[in-house]
Structures are given as C-alpha cells and as structure tokens.
Amino acid sequence: MDFLVLFLFYLALVLIGVVTICICSKTHYLRGLIRGGAQVISCIIPECLQRAIRKVLHYLFHTRNHTFIMLHLLLQGMVYAEYTWEVFGYCQELGFSLHYLVLPYLLLVINLVFFTLSCVSNPGTITKANAFSLLQVYEFDEVMFPKNMKCFTCHVRKPARSKHCRVCNRCVHRFDHHCVWVNNCIGAWNARYFLIYLLTLTASAATMAVVSTVFLVQLVVVSDLYLETYVDDLGHLQVIDIVFLIQYLFLTLPRIVFMLGFVVMLSFLLGGYLCFTLYLAATNQTTNEWYRGDRAWCHHCPHVARPPSAEPQVYRNIHSHGLWSNLGEIFLPAAAHCAKKMN
C-alpha cells in the first residue's frame, strides 16, 4: 500500500504542478513566486554555489547545446530497451498479435524522423534578403505587432508575428517558442515537423502504456492471481484486491511496473501539451502570442504605458480564418502564403 500511495501522490503532485504553472504563466503570480523562492534560497545556499547554479542554468536554457537532445534519446532508448527486453518477449509467449507489438517501433521510426527534422530544419530565419517578402505575409495588428518595428540585433524590419530569439540570436518568422528538447526554434517553416513529432511521441508513450497494462492484466488472468488469498497482519484470510496485486506485480516485475508508471505519467503530460498545441494550431495562434495576449496587452494591465487620453488597446487574434485554413497554414506554409498574396 505504501508504494501505491506514494506513486499516486507523486503522479498527482506532478500533474497539479504542471497545471498550476500553465494557469499562472499568464499572470504575475508565477514571477513573484519564483522571485520569492529565489530570495529564500539565496539566504541558504552559499554565493559560490549560486554562481555555479546560475552558470549551469544559463548554459542549459539560454545557449544552444545538445544536452536535452542527448537526454531525450537516452530516456527514449531506456524505455524501448526495457520494452524490447521484457514486455515484447513475454507478450509473444502469451500469444499477442505481432502487429500490436510492433506498433511502438513504427511510431518510434516516424518520431525520430520528425524529431531530426525539428532539430535541423530552418524555423523561418529572417534575413535582409527575405525580410521584404515576409513583411507581406501577415497583417500588422498595431497592438502586439505594430508596423515599422526594427530588430536592432539583426538590423531588419520585423514582420508581424516574428520575434527575436535570444538563444539562437536570430529573428524567426511566425515565432512559436524555443524548444530545448530539439535545440531549435519552432517557427513557420518547421511547426509542422514539431507537431507530428509531438503527436508520435505521445502516441508511442500511450501505446507502450496500453501494451504493458494489457500484458500485466493478461498475466494476472492466466496465472489466476486474482483468485488467490493471503493472510493479513491480523491473521485473517483475505481475498487479493487490486492494491495487493499492484504491489505483488511491482515486487515480481519491478522494471516493467516502473516503466509503466513512467510512460503513463508521460502520456498525461505529453497528451496535455499536445491538446494545447492543437488548440493553438486550430485557432492560428503561437505560444508566444497566447502568452503575451492577455498578459501584456489587456486594457487593465498597469504595466502598459500610454497617454491618459488614449483608448485602451485590446489584443484580438486577427489571423484565424477557419479550422482548415489555419491547419493548412501550418502543414503547407508556402501554399498558404501564396494564397494570401493572391487575395
């Protein structure tokens, strides 16, 4: 019971933490909480250790490096090694369909292809050569993206929906976000690769979770474990329940149960992020625009300086033109831009 309670508590804590961060990310509460936590920690941790931590964090999150790519491949390799070493063999002995068992490998191949494309493809770098043509693609809303804005680092006029990435040190067309897991920006020209990568990664984690769960259930049924009894601490004979079965399976097949818990948690986290990404795609928003939309441009925001006589400016999404048009803009960006120019 202790293991099950601790695992469920850990899973709930992680999910609640992720949801809380998503809710608070568009408010100032998260920044205040981080600043307060940093001040408390600074009173405890020595200055030399703080400098070392800041250097490591700066290297990991503010410079281009391959740390998270290697971590991604390591975790993916470990999960698939465990699946291949134990689950695949046991499932074959129990007579599982080979097509059912091979599905995670098929998803892995597709995932690695689009993972590579997300890492190496050009997200939409704005240069002096293509800046003029990209200025014609999106309409300026004069709120979040005013006209005649210039990037003083790249020395180019900024097209609507673009942003300068401080990590990559370049302006990116239709900037979404910088992803440390692919060590690249996500923009107009590689958003489709990233979306398929995220979709196949979520599907592969969910598929392995389903296969592993079905295998454990089949194992319990075949071995008649659910019909067994045990003696509790008071000496009474008890019928095996689900909690006892989970503990027994963890002690008997610890690596499989641990892998199952990991991929289940990963499926929830990735599934939530995938739903958010699909929502942005369906409404023709980027993560950057979603984050800045209500936070920096709301009419009651006290941090926006404006003349007293000026009317409040409210950000509205002017780029959404229907579901299929929005999705076409992601998966066929060149065709979508040509259609806009014709109109």
Side-chain angles (χ1 to χ4, degrees):
M1 182 66 181
D2 295 336
F3 161 74
L4 183 60
V5 171
L6 286 174
F7 175 75
L8 292 176
F9 176 76
Y10 175 73
L11 180 60
L13 192 64
V14 170
L15 294 176
I16 291 173
V18 171
V19 172
T20 303
I21 290 174
C22 292
I23 294 174
C24 296
S25 62
K26 297 186 75 175
T27 67
H28 299 285
Y29 299 118
L30 184 61
R31 287 187 174 184
L33 186 63
I34 292 175
R35 280 196 298 267
Q39 290 175 356
V40 172
I41 293 174
S42 64
C43 299
I44 303 172
I45 301 178
E47 183 64 28
C48 59
L49 185 56
Q50 291 184 44
R51 287 195 298 269
I53 293 174
R54 282 195 292 267
K55 286 182 180 179
V56 171
L57 292 177
H58 181 270
Y59 172 76
L60 290 176
F61 297 104
H62 297 283
T63 61
R64 295 196 71 182
N65 61 85
H66 296 88
T67 304
F68 284 95
I69 289 181
M70 292 185 290
L71 179 61
H72 177 287
L73 295 175
L74 177 64
L75 290 173
Q76 200 168 31
M78 290 173 62
V79 170
Y80 270 89
E82 176 60 28
Y83 175 81
T84 304
W85 185 259
E86 294 202 54
V87 177
F88 189 87
Y90 287 144
C91 287
Q92 280 189 311
E93 293 178 7
L94 291 174
F96 279 58
S97 171
L98 188 60
H99 301 289
Y100 185 63
L101 299 177
V102 170
L103 182 58
Y105 298 107
L106 177 62
L107 291 170
L108 174 65
V109 172
I110 300 173
N111 176 255
L112 290 177
V113 169
F114 286 97
F115 175 69
T116 305
L117 289 172
S118 299
C119 291
V120 303
S121 59
N122 183 352
T125 304
I126 301 171
T127 64
K128 292 181 179 179
N130 63 13
F132 179 77
S133 62
L134 294 179
L135 282 166
Q136 317 303 318
V137 175
Y138 291 113
E139 181 183 353
F140 291 91
D141 59 12
E142 298 298 341
V143 180
M144 187 181 295
F145 302 107
K147 285 183 180 179
N148 301 320
M149 291 293 292
K150 186 175 181 180
C151 177
F152 295 101
T153 304
C154 301
H155 304 290
V156 295
R157 283 184 62 192
K158 296 178 67 173
R161 312 188 77 182
S162 66
K163 186 179 184 296
H164 182 85
C165 177
R166 289 178 291 180
V167 179
C168 297
N169 194 30
R170 60 184 173 183
C171 284
V172 177
H173 180 48
R174 198 185 182 275
F175 177 85
D176 190 273
H177 70 287
H178 180 89
C179 180
V180 295
W181 293 103
V182 300
N183 192 30
N184 198 5
C185 288
I186 306 303
W189 298 345
N190 67 347
R192 59 190 185 277
Y193 303 142
F194 181 78
L195 184 57
I196 298 175
Y197 152 71
L198 183 61
L199 177 64
T200 53
L201 186 63
T202 306
S204 61
T207 301
M208 279 194 288
V210 171
V211 172
S212 300
T213 302
V214 173
F215 158 69
L216 292 175
V217 171
Q218 187 75 3
L219 184 65
V220 169
V221 172
V222 170
S223 58
D224 293 331
L225 278 174
Y226 64 98
L227 299 176
E228 299 293 335
T229 57
Y230 69 98
V231 179
D232 62 14
D233 296 335
L234 301 177
H236 299 147
L237 202 63
Q238 301 286 347
V239 178
I240 288 182
D241 55 10
I242 185 65
V243 175
F244 190 91
L245 274 176
I246 293 175
Q247 292 184 83
Y248 175 81
L249 290 172
F250 180 76
L251 294 174
T252 308
L253 304 167
R255 291 197 299 269
I256 295 179
V257 176
F258 184 80
M259 182 201 74
L260 175 59
F262 177 75
V263 294
V264 166
M265 183 177 68
L266 198 62
S267 299
F268 278 110
L269 295 177
L270 289 173
Y273 183 54
L274 176 63
C275 291
F276 171 69
T277 305
L278 291 173
Y279 161 74
L280 293 181
T283 56
N284 204 336
Q285 297 183 78
T286 65
T287 304
N288 177 54
E289 293 163 0
W290 173 85
Y291 179 74
R292 295 172 59 194
D294 296 333
R295 173 178 160 269
W297 305 100
C298 56
H299 64 277
H300 58 270
C301 183
H303 300 280
V304 179
R306 66 170 75 87
S309 60
E311 293 185 2
Q313 292 180 309
V314 181
Y315 169 73
R316 294 183 301 105
N317 179 16
I318 63 173
H319 305 292
S320 180
H321 303 290
L323 176 62
W324 298 115
S325 177
N326 295 341
L327 293 178
E329 194 168 305
I330 290 179
F331 290 99
L332 299 170
H337 295 168
C338 291
K340 287 186 176 183
K341 287 181 181 180
M342 292 176 63
N343 294 333

